[in-house]
């Protein structure tokens, strides 16, 4: 299994910044929050989060984010590792994401086609990138940044992500520092 620090480093590299909630994640979580996050554990909410995550990392020749139950991972991470302010932003962000889909396509996110979902998330990604460029240090994080980070972290630290999306050796042999890499090879899961 990949250790927490390696997982956070990989996600930070993928999203080009620091991971929200990383301090609590590394220290074992439990923020003692005053925000009620019980609704994140509803089956409907987790299914919604799985659909959003699966649009970011869909099933291809490897399983997608929904197969790894990234929605369940998001709920636990937001409850245990996010500060109050980020928990509120995340929860409100789920509503905003669905409302944006209804406004753009007259459909909720779950009812939208895969192409519509992708188009919406591309728009939100541009929005969060613009927000991040002008964001002041103390300003809250954008909810889509959180969703993307949790999707990548949840997927690539899951059993499916480690064993199906990456090359995985449960018992590695000797260290080979100059192992040949061919373009298109999967990354190694660090155990």
């Amino acid at each position: 299994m990949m250790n927490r620090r390696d997982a956070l480093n990989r996600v930070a590299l993928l999203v080009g910044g620091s991971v929200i909630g990383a301090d609590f994640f590394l220290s074992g979580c439990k923020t003692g929050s005053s925000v009620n996050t019980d609704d994140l554990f509803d089956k409907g909410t987790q299914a919604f989060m799985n659909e959003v995550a699966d649009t970011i990392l869909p099933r291809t020749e490897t399983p997608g984010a929904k197969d790894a139950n990234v929605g369940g991972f998001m709920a636990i991470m937001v409850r245990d590792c996010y500060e109050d302010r980020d928990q509120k932003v995340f929860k409100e962000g789920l509503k905003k994401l669905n409302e944006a889909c209804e406004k753009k396509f007259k459909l909720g996110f779950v009812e939208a086609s895969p192409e519509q979902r992708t188009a919406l998330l591309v728009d939100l990604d541009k929005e969060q990138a613009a927000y991040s460029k002008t964001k002041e240090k103390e300003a809250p994080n954008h909810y889509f940044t959180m969703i993307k980070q949790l999707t990548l972290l949840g997927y690539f630290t899951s059993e499916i992500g480690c064993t199906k999306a990456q090359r995985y050796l449960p018992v590695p042999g000797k260290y080979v520092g100059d192992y040949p890499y061919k373009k298109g090879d999967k990354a190694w899961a660090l155990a």
Side-chain angles (χ1 to χ4, degrees), residues 3-186:
N3 72 42
R4 292 176 185 180
R5 188 169 306 279
D6 291 335
L8 290 173
N9 285 337
R10 284 184 175 197
V11 171
L13 284 172
L14 288 171
V15 298
S18 62
V19 176
I20 300 162
D23 295 339
F24 288 115
F25 185 59
L26 287 173
S27 66
C29 301
K30 299 293 180 200
T31 63
S33 172
S34 62
V35 176
N36 183 347
T37 56
D38 291 347
D39 55 332
L40 296 178
F41 293 88
D42 293 343
K43 285 186 177 184
T45 305
Q46 288 199 6
F48 177 78
M49 292 188 293
N50 271 326
E51 293 297 332
V52 173
D54 210 57
T55 303
I56 295 170
L57 287 175
R59 179 184 290 184
T60 56
E61 68 275 359
T62 59
K66 188 169 30 177
D67 298 312
N69 189 27
V70 169
F73 175 83
M74 286 183 186
I76 291 169
M77 289 296 290
V78 170
R79 179 193 65 196
D80 292 350
C81 297
Y82 275 14
E83 295 178 1
D84 289 7
R85 182 175 74 166
D86 289 332
Q87 289 174 332
K88 289 177 188 171
V89 169
F90 183 87
K91 288 177 61 169
E92 290 169 5
L94 294 178
K95 292 177 189 163
K96 288 179 182 175
L97 190 152
N98 202 46
E99 289 168 1
C101 194
E102 289 173 350
K103 184 177 178 183
K104 185 170 184 153
F105 300 113
K106 310 289 186 233
L107 294 168
F109 188 81
V110 174
E111 293 81 27
S113 70
E115 294 79 17
Q116 291 170 322
R117 292 178 182 187
T118 300
L120 178 69
L121 296 190
V122 167
D123 289 348
L124 290 177
D125 194 45
K126 290 176 185 171
E127 178 185 306
Q128 71 84 29
Y131 177 81
S132 295
K133 282 183 183 174
T134 60
K135 174 184 172 280
E136 293 190 22
K137 187 175 181 181
E138 296 304 318
N141 296 300
H142 193 282
Y143 67 92
F144 193 64
T145 303
M146 299 175 184
I147 291 171
K148 279 188 355 182
Q149 288 181 353
L150 289 174
T151 297
L152 296 173
L153 185 62
Y155 183 74
F156 287 109
T157 57
S158 72
E159 181 178 348
I160 285 174
C162 282
T163 60
K164 305 292 183 198
Q166 301 176 83
R167 294 183 283 178
Y168 178 70
L169 282 177
V171 181
K174 67 179 182 179
Y175 175 75
V176 180
D178 62 347
Y179 191 81
Y181 172 78
K182 292 182 293 185
K183 188 172 183 174
D185 281 352
K186 294 178 183 176

